[in-house]
Amino acid sequence: MRLDIPTTTEKPLVWLGSSYRDLMAMPGPVRQFFGHALGRAQQGERHESTKVLRGFGGAGVLEIIRDEAGGTFRAVYTVKFQAAVFVLHVFQKKSRRGVETPNEDMALIRARLKIAELYSQGR
């Protein structure tokens, strides 16, 4: 008799800066949606609402986008490092003009990506 035991290797989630607190301040349906999508990322999969965030040279930095009646919500994470899925930034996009991520948010994402790199190198 042979038993097939699933060998799911789920990466841990590491929340950088205020990203977890920012997620908890969002409406319940948004929190649940992001939780599900991040769970898929931990399993090495990609939720259909996830896209590559431009400006980071490849598919290593991704964003989940959720439109609700109260606005557009985003969660940015990276799967660039073996150690974990790093949640870099969770925020509500305030600007109604364009789809581009505001410069202040991009700067914060870049800074936290550097922290994730140091963390993954054991520094």
Side-chain angles (χ1 to χ4, degrees):
M1 179 156 110
R2 181 179 160 190
L3 295 174
D4 288 321
I5 300 171
T7 57
T8 305
T9 54
E10 190 173 281
K11 286 185 175 184
L13 271 181
V14 176
W15 301 86
L16 296 178
S18 63
S19 58
Y20 183 77
R21 185 179 50 227
D22 296 337
L23 176 69
M24 292 295 103
M26 293 187 170
V30 175
R31 289 193 315 261
Q32 185 177 13
F33 184 83
F34 284 168
H36 174 72
L38 289 169
R40 299 268 307 266
Q42 286 180 274
Q43 296 171 0
E45 300 173 7
R46 195 160 141 184
H47 190 273
E48 56 271 3
S49 293
T50 302
K51 67 176 195 169
V52 174
L53 183 60
R54 290 183 182 182
F56 292 93
V61 178
L62 305 156
E63 72 176 331
I64 308 160
I65 301 171
R66 176 68 176 196
D67 289 318
E68 287 283 323
T72 300
F73 299 87
R74 296 181 181 194
V76 178
Y77 67 95
T78 186
V79 293
K80 203 171 180 177
F81 309 108
Q82 287 294 109
V85 173
F86 292 91
V87 182
L88 304 172
H89 191 30
V90 179
F91 63 104
Q92 180 178 1
K93 186 173 179 293
K94 305 264 195 245
S95 172
R96 296 278 182 213
R97 289 181 281 145
V99 295
E100 211 169 283
T101 304
N103 289 336
E104 308 85 50
D105 292 304
M106 291 296 283
L108 182 61
I109 292 165
R110 281 189 181 89
R112 289 182 180 169
L113 183 61
K114 288 178 185 175
I115 293 168
E117 184 173 13
L118 292 173
Y119 180 95
S120 69
Q121 293 173 351
R123 294 185 191 172

